[in-house]
Structure formats: C-alpha cells, structure tokens
Amino acid sequence: TVRTGIDASFQKRISELADSWSDELAKTGIADLSVVVIDVNTGSTIAYIGNASQSRKRNGMLVDIASAPRSTGSILKPLLYCALLQEGDILPKSLIPDLPVNINGFSPQNFDQKFCGAVPADEALARSLNVPAVHMLRRFGVQKFCNILKKSGMGTLARPADDYGLSLILGGAEGTLLDITRIYASLSNTY
C-alpha cells in the first residue's frame, strides 16, 4: 500500500496544464518543465510532475527534474530577506549599498551591469539586485544562512558553508524544486 497526498483529479488537471505549457515553451528552446504543488495548510504534496510532456520525444525526458539538483539562481534571496527581517537586522526601507565591490576577489555584478547607490532592502529584493544581496548575506553570515536553509529542508547543501561563500545567494548552490517548494510553502505558516 502506498499512501500519498496526491489528489488524482487535481494531478490530472495540473499534468494537462504542464504538458500544454511545456509544449509551448519547447518552441522557445526550453525542453523540460516540472511542477510541484504543496498544500500550505498540511505541507502535503498534492500534485507532482517530474517532467511534463512525456509524449514529446527528447533527450532527458524521463529525468525527474523536480527532484534533480539545479542552480538556485536568485530564489534564495527572499529567504535571506525574511531571515534578516526576522532577526531585526533590516527593515523594508533599510538602505543597502549597491556599489561596485570586491570582497577577496569576488566582485558581484547586477544583471544589467549597473549600480544604483543606496537601495531600500525591499526594492533590492523586488528588483533581484545581486550586489545588495551579497552585502546582506555578508552581514548575516554564510554559515548562519546555510544552517537556516538546512533546517528548513534544503537537503542539497552537503559542502561546508565556506565552500559556497557569498556566491550562495547568487546561485552558488544547488537545490531541488521539491525542497524549495516545501520551504516556500512553510513560509505561509511562519509569517
């Protein structure tokens, strides 16, 4: 007997929707798509698509990309922001530097290669600015942030925090869609 929180009719609807989007995105060169839906009240996974459009033949189509580690990119920035708010280290309008910086040879850049000077923390997050995120992580501490991520359920952080360094906040670590979705779902019960 297998017990699951998957809702069969909801899973079917999500699968059809995922297949449709996956086929559309394939036209732009995006080959794969996965979906994880968590019930924020119970924490149960109610829909799970490891890789959509199984009928569209392609390399890797049988890979469950929802559980495969991938670069986290900028998706950890809101978690750091929440941790800093929770500890009272910043407020939404706290000014964070967005200036050229070199930290032991690490020179983070924003996606547009521009700097904005002093930026309110909430704006830095909304605009996904890299340099302020690095400053916030430096202020908070890489080890401390790694501990929070691990405690929250990010099971892919196997190396010491120093190995990730400040690039952790810019995609320097890998995470799975399943873990990250669970972490974000738990935020709804936390805040």
Side-chain angles (χ1 to χ4, degrees):
T1 302
V2 175
R3 296 185 193 275
T4 179
I6 300 289
D7 176 321
S9 63
F10 186 65
Q11 173 76 19
K12 185 176 188 295
R13 288 192 336 237
I14 294 296
S15 183
E16 290 167 355
L17 187 60
D19 287 351
S20 175
W21 274 104
S22 180
D23 292 342
E24 191 64 31
L25 290 169
K27 298 173 187 172
T28 65
I30 299 171
D32 300 296
L33 180 138
S34 63
V35 177
V36 174
V37 181
I38 306 283
D39 180 330
V40 296
N41 295 313
T42 66
S44 296
T45 303
I46 57 173
Y48 186 101
I49 312 294
N51 203 337
S53 295
Q54 293 293 308
S55 62
R56 187 170 31 84
K57 303 297 180 210
R58 63 200 185 274
N59 289 333
M61 65 184 240
L62 298 178
V63 175
D64 177 357
I65 60 174
S67 65
R70 311 280 256 173
S71 171
T72 54
S74 290
I75 62 175
L76 300 180
K77 289 176 184 173
L79 303 175
L80 175 61
Y81 182 82
C82 285
L84 284 158
L85 283 172
Q86 186 72 22
E87 293 212 348
D89 289 341
I90 63 167
L91 295 170
K93 298 301 178 191
S94 295
L95 295 178
I96 311 294
D98 185 24
L99 301 165
V101 64
N102 184 313
I103 305 166
N104 299 321
F106 178 54
S107 297
Q109 301 288 317
N110 293 318
F111 75 97
D112 62 0
Q113 305 293 308
K114 296 178 183 174
F115 300 95
C116 303
V119 180
D122 60 350
E123 182 181 329
L125 176 63
R127 294 176 54 199
S128 192
L129 296 174
N130 292 334
V131 177
V134 168
H135 282 292
M136 287 190 280
L137 180 58
R138 186 176 189 201
R139 178 180 188 168
F140 190 75
V142 176
Q143 181 66 58
K144 190 173 171 183
F145 188 52
C146 274
N147 291 344
I148 287 173
L149 293 172
K150 288 177 185 179
K151 185 178 176 186
S152 297
M154 193 165 160
T156 52
L157 296 175
R159 302 186 329 248
D162 288 346
D163 281 3
Y164 300 108
L166 295 172
S167 71
L168 171 65
I169 202 64
L170 306 180
E174 293 182 327
T176 68
L177 177 62
L178 183 58
D179 284 352
I180 299 297
T181 304
R182 285 180 177 151
I183 291 169
Y184 271 86
S186 72
L187 287 178
S188 70
N189 290 326
T190 306
Y191 298 100

